[in-house]
Every structure is written in C-alpha cells, then in structure tokens.
Amino acid sequence: MFANYLIGLREGLEASLVVCILIAYLVKTDRRDALKPIWSGIAVAVALALGFGCALEFGSQELTFEAQEALGGSLSIIAVCLVTWMVFWMRRTARHLKADLHGKLDAALQMGTGALVATAFLAVGREGLETSLFVWTSVRASSDGTEGPLIGVLLGIATAVVLGYLFYRGALRINLAKFFTWTGAMLVVVAAGVLAYGFHDLQEADFLPGLTNKAFDISETIPPDSWYGTLLKGVFNFQPDPTVLQVVVWSLYLVPTLAFFLAPSRSGKARPKTPAPVRAP
C-alpha cells in the first residue's frame, strides 16, 4: 500500500504543481479571462487519464489468461521506461519548472484560447496518462486481493492535491529539488519490482522461458499471506519465490539506475549544496 501511496503522491504532486503554477501566473498577471480555457484543458486531460485507466482495467478482463499476462507484462515494461525517464527529467528540471511553464503560457496567451487549452491539456495530460499506466501496472503487481493498493493510490493523490493547494496559497514552502530526488529514488525501487513482475507475467504467458527455474524459495520463512509478507509485497513488490530471470532483471535495473540517479550532477555549473526552497508561485 505504501508503494502505491508513493506513486499517487509523487505523480499527483507533479500534476498539482503544474496546475497551481499555471493558475497562479494568470491570476498574478491579471489574466483571469484565460482561466476558463486552462481549466477546460485540465478537465479534458483528467478525463482522458481516467478513461485510459478504465480501458486498461476493463478491457483486459475480456482477454484470455495468456493474453492478460502478455498485456500486463508488456505494459509494465513500458510503464517502468516512462517512469524512469520521468524521474530523471524531473530531477534535472525541477528548479526550472516554474520558469518553463511561464514561458509556454506566455506564448499560448499570444496565440489565443485554443493554445491555452492545448497548453494545459499537454502539461497535465502527460502526467495523467503516465500516472494511469504506472498505477495500473503497480496495483496489478502488488495486488493481494484487497482494495489496499487502490486505496493507497487514492490517498496519495488526495495528499498531493492538498499539498498543491497549500503551495498555491503560500502556506507551504517546498524544496522541489530535494523532494523529487528522494521520492524519485524510492520510485526507482518500486519500478524495479514492477519490472520484475512484468517479466514474470511474460513468463506466465509463455513469451519467455524459465517460469519453473526459481532463484530461491523462502515461502516458509516469509509466507506471502503473513502480515510481513504482505507488507514487503506492498512496499517492494517482494516475491518469496522469484524466478532467476526476475532476480537478474531486478538487479540489472535497480543497481545502475539508482547509482546514476543519485550520482552528483556533472553539468558545467556546480550545483548548490543547499538549493533555495521554492515558494508559492
């Protein structure tokens, strides 16, 4: 449940920050007339993300078992690729997110209503589609037959909305660089579990061999239905009897990705040791 809460919090906060930066800029520049197109674009983006999530959930139920596993495994790999790109991109651009959005909004204001709708739709829609895909694959990977994973996601999104509102109202000071670095590192760990689970799905669909070739089996030590087994599965997508391929994929993804993500920036300009907290826009 914690892993899914983290996904909802991280992805939801990105979208919330985008929305509050756009809205605050229009209010401060006395362009309230442009708020309606912005909200229209946001509404379309949210509807698209929800529709995409529903299509994944209900559409997959009509497939055979092998087709469901193949679809789930393939989408898990795609979701991990997208999330990996996202965490590196956000780590690099968190400090400049506000300025980048202001620049795009200035250009859209000059082009008219359609451009404003498109700007808000693209800014929020990318986050929404990415969130729907990763949430679906993560909930599927960590599902224990209860509503816990989905509740975790919804609680994370709700927390993100509250934080976004506080950020907009100026009641919260947040260091975006540090926040996205630490949550990004935790998300890489979650993504490693989702990736391993995705390869396991492809093995169950007979797309990949080695389903019976177990790396180890500690089910007696950590029973999957125990509270600690459930906790490990919910947080890390832990499986007590993974295949050799799962362990290899998990290791090859997690170790280098986390090392590159946490490595100091090698850009020409030295990074400040203590970035200034970001105030409300």
Side-chain angles (χ1 to χ4, degrees):
M1 182 172 176
F2 174 76
N4 295 288
Y5 174 82
L6 175 64
I7 294 169
L9 174 63
R10 162 78 189 223
E11 301 291 327
L13 187 58
E14 285 187 33
S16 294
L17 290 175
V18 168
V19 171
C20 75
I21 288 172
L22 292 175
I23 298 302
Y25 184 66
L26 291 176
V27 171
K28 287 189 175 182
T29 55
D30 199 24
R31 288 302 308 269
R32 294 177 181 270
D33 57 300
L35 288 176
K36 186 175 180 180
I38 290 295
W39 282 117
S40 298
I42 292 170
V44 173
V46 171
L48 178 64
L50 291 175
F52 181 57
C54 290
L56 288 175
E57 176 63 23
F58 297 110
S60 63
Q61 294 179 4
E62 303 299 324
L63 303 175
T64 62
F65 173 78
E66 290 77 10
Q68 286 183 10
E69 298 304 298
L71 176 65
S74 301
L75 291 180
S76 293
I77 295 173
I78 294 173
V80 169
C81 291
L82 289 174
V83 167
T84 304
W85 172 84
M86 178 270 296
V87 295
F88 277 93
W89 176 83
M90 183 55 72
R91 179 178 181 267
R92 185 176 64 253
T93 61
R95 293 183 179 88
H96 314 294
L97 178 63
K98 183 177 176 181
D100 290 344
L101 287 173
H102 286 178
K104 292 178 181 178
L105 197 53
D106 283 335
L109 285 169
Q110 296 178 1
M111 296 175 65
T113 301
L116 287 170
V117 174
T119 299
F121 172 76
L122 293 174
V124 178
R126 180 183 65 84
E127 301 292 344
L129 291 175
E130 186 179 85
T131 301
S132 294
L133 178 57
F134 195 53
V135 163
W136 184 78
T137 55
S138 179
V139 168
R140 188 172 182 273
S142 61
S143 179
D144 54 4
T146 69
E147 301 299 323
L150 183 58
I151 293 175
V153 171
L154 294 177
L155 288 175
I157 293 175
T159 304
V161 171
V162 173
L163 291 176
Y165 176 76
L166 294 175
F167 183 69
Y168 172 78
R169 300 297 300 178
L172 178 67
R173 298 176 65 193
I174 184 170
N175 189 314
L176 293 182
K178 286 187 176 180
F179 175 85
F180 285 121
T181 295
W182 288 108
T183 58
M186 289 187 287
L187 208 55
V188 167
V189 176
V190 173
V194 172
L195 184 64
Y197 188 87
F199 273 80
H200 183 264
D201 279 349
L202 294 179
Q203 288 180 307
E204 289 194 325
D206 289 330
F207 271 62
L208 294 174
L211 181 61
T212 59
N213 188 13
K214 302 294 184 180
F216 53 83
D217 189 347
I218 54 175
S219 299
E220 293 185 0
T221 305
I222 306 179
D225 56 351
S226 64
W227 69 266
Y228 45 92
T230 302
L231 178 64
L232 288 173
K233 183 176 179 60
V235 176
F236 301 109
N237 287 318
F238 174 79
Q239 185 177 336
D241 57 343
T243 64
V244 172
L245 180 60
Q246 283 183 274
V247 174
V248 170
V249 167
W250 184 87
S251 302
L252 290 178
Y253 170 82
L254 180 64
V255 175
T257 303
L258 204 55
F260 278 116
F261 183 75
L262 296 177
S265 175
R266 296 183 179 180
S267 57
K269 296 180 180 180
R271 294 176 60 191
K273 294 183 179 180
T274 307
V278 178
R279 296 177 181 272

